[in-house]
Amino acid sequence: MIESIESLKQEITAFTIQTEEDLEEFRLQFLSRNGKVQDMFKMMGSVPNDQKAKVGKAMNEVKTIAQNRFDEAKENLSEKKSVSFGAADDISLPVLPSYTGSLHPLTSALKEMKQIFLRLGFNIADGPELEDDFHNFTALNFPPDHPARDMQDTFFVRRSEERPQDNLVMRTHTSPVQIRLMKVKEPPIRSIMPGRVYRNEAVTAKSYFQFNQVEGLYVDERVTLGELIETLVMFAKLMYGSDVKYRVRPSFFPFTEPSMEMDIWWDNENGGQWLEILGAGMVDPNVFDAVDVDSEKYTGFAFGMGVDRIALLRYGIDDIRTLYENDIRVLRQFT
Ligand code: DAH
């Protein structure tokens, strides 16, 4: 009796279960109502009383083994099913890469610029992209026949030969925001004014028909040219590192006197070159007069920076058009 129980036990452990069919076969052979485990228990009747306890224990053990094998095999098979591959799947193929988003280089540059000027005590203001003639030109001391007012440079939204003061333009610079600010706020004013501007210009690697500027304005009693230069140099060093190569040279703008421009040395494969990043100067008294700020009492400095060029220099991009084409292969380099 004990031997036949032992041999059933061996049969159960030796049975290979690899498929759903094997599993069903195992169940039928051993665990079903007419299976071998039940048959084994039927023999209990012929077991002498004094051996019943021992034989019963051995039989229960075999039943447990059979049930455990069944449960384990069933679980393994269902796990396999969930990761099973079809014939067409090639599990040696590389996993598809997953991408996280990134800030556009213009956004990053602007963010850095804002942080620098907030640190220097400036606050942030803004104004509209659609401007009238007064804010974009007249109040900024542009003479009526100034070339910047011309078709060549300006996108006109409304243009009238008889009443040029009714002209509406896409702002050609962020300087009109200075005018808006000074009209509503008494000095002291210390603000930057970031925004998009438009120019009817030929598109090249260095210029585009739309770009971004950060305007700056500081008006108070006794603001000096020295403070302007100090501020610009501080900006260049914070933006590009203290070993940045820069130069400041005289220039001309209708709304500042004296005026200047700042260049940053751009190291590239062709040996490098100076790149102009901003215009600046002391606010012209005519501008103060246009917005009723007392030019006897106050002085001020102003600057207008090109965010796009600053971004090109900061991130080593060599073509401004790259910033507007939104080529995903380029943008992914900035993660
Ligand atoms: N608005 C000028 C431009 O777009 C830049 C500029 C120059 C702004 C001098 C200023 C300034 O505020 O003082 O070319």
Side-chain angles (χ1 to χ4, degrees):
M1 172 59 56
I2 290 292
E3 280 118 66
S4 67
I5 294 173
E6 193 54 36
S7 81
L8 178 60
K9 186 167 142 189
Q10 270 164 25
E11 212 183 318
I12 288 168
T13 28
F15 195 101
T16 46
I17 310 172
Q18 272 170 348
T19 63
E20 295 284 339
E21 292 75 38
D22 294 344
L23 185 69
E24 179 60 6
E25 182 58 32
F26 182 89
R27 191 188 67 81
L28 287 172
Q29 269 198 39
F30 302 108
L31 293 172
S32 67
R33 204 184 294 189
N34 306 313
K36 291 178 184 171
V37 172
Q38 280 306 314
D39 288 350
M40 175 184 70
F41 280 110
K42 281 177 198 148
M43 298 191 304
M44 204 51 175
S46 58
V47 175
N49 273 349
D50 62 336
Q51 288 182 29
K52 273 206 163 80
K54 194 175 156 208
V55 171
K57 197 175 162 223
M59 285 181 175
N60 276 326
E61 212 178 284
V62 170
K63 188 188 170 192
T64 308
I65 289 170
Q67 190 61 50
N68 285 349
R69 277 223 64 196
F70 179 84
D71 293 344
E72 261 171 44
K74 189 172 171 180
E75 178 142 348
N76 283 343
L77 281 171
S78 74
E79 268 173 25
K80 258 193 212 150
K81 210 190 273 166
S82 64
V83 291
S84 72
F85 296 94
D89 297 318
D90 179 353
I91 58 165
S92 69
L93 283 175
V95 178
L96 284 180
S98 65
Y99 295 104
T100 49
S102 59
L103 291 181
H104 191 280
L106 278 176
T107 309
S108 308
L110 190 57
K111 211 170 141 187
E112 280 190 63
M113 293 169 78
K114 283 181 184 168
Q115 272 160 4
I116 289 170
F117 283 109
L118 288 173
R119 212 174 127 180
L120 297 178
F122 287 74
N123 58 26
I124 300 176
D126 67 4
E129 292 182 18
L130 179 62
E131 269 297 4
D132 54 33
D133 181 86
F134 175 77
H135 292 89
N136 199 79
F137 297 122
T138 303
L140 287 163
N141 199 32
F142 280 82
D145 54 354
H146 192 280
R149 290 173 175 243
D150 204 278
M151 269 294 198
Q152 243 108 69
D153 277 306
T154 309
F155 286 117
F156 286 89
V157 175
R158 185 172 73 201
R159 191 174 202 203
S160 158
E161 295 292 343
E162 304 85 61
R163 290 181 56 83
Q165 64 269 36
D166 291 343
N167 287 351
L168 288 178
V169 303
M170 295 311 289
R171 67 178 175 195
T172 56
H173 50 180
T174 42
S175 302
V177 191
Q178 290 185 30
I179 301 301
R180 293 185 176 273
L181 200 57
M182 286 190 282
K183 280 207 306 193
V184 297
K185 193 180 179 313
E186 287 284 311
I189 294 173
R190 202 185 324 180
S191 303
I192 57 161
M193 297 143 261
R196 182 171 285 190
V197 304
Y198 302 83
R199 280 207 207 151
N200 198 354
E201 272 184 307
V203 171
T204 69
K206 297 281 162 297
S207 52
Y208 206 63
F209 61 86
Q210 61 175 31
F211 52 101
N212 296 271
Q213 291 187 330
V214 169
E215 193 76 16
L217 179 67
Y218 178 27
V219 182
D220 203 349
E221 290 174 40
R222 289 185 294 277
V223 174
T224 67
L225 182 64
E227 285 171 287
L228 168 58
I229 295 174
E230 182 64 28
T231 303
L232 299 180
V233 170
M234 181 73 91
F235 167 78
K237 288 185 172 175
L238 290 174
M239 192 74 196
Y240 297 107
S242 50
D243 56 350
V244 61
K245 212 167 136 190
Y246 63 87
R247 69 179 185 193
V248 174
R249 53 187 168 74
S251 184
F252 174 81
F253 300 100
F255 37 92
T256 45
E257 183 58 36
S259 303
M260 63 185 75
E261 284 175 331
M262 184 185 229
D263 303 331
I264 297 287
W265 182 255
W266 183 37
D267 244 338
N268 57 18
E269 309 89 71
N270 316 320
Q273 67 180 95
W274 288 108
L275 205 60
E276 177 215 322
I277 60 157
L278 62 88
M282 301 305 291
V283 179
D284 193 296
N286 289 342
V287 174
F288 282 145
D289 291 346
V291 289
D292 297 322
V293 168
D294 183 352
S295 59
E296 295 295 322
K297 186 170 174 198
Y298 295 108
T299 54
F301 69 65
F303 54 82
M305 304 183 159
V307 180
D308 302 57
R309 286 200 184 167
I310 287 170
L312 298 192
L313 280 163
R314 182 74 179 75
Y315 305 114
I317 305 169
D318 56 11
D319 191 323
I320 205 162
R321 291 167 286 199
T322 311
L323 298 174
Y324 295 94
E325 281 161 357
N326 285 330
D327 184 331
I328 203 83
R329 293 167 300 180
V330 173
L331 297 179
R332 274 186 187 143
Q333 294 173 35
F334 296 97
T335 37

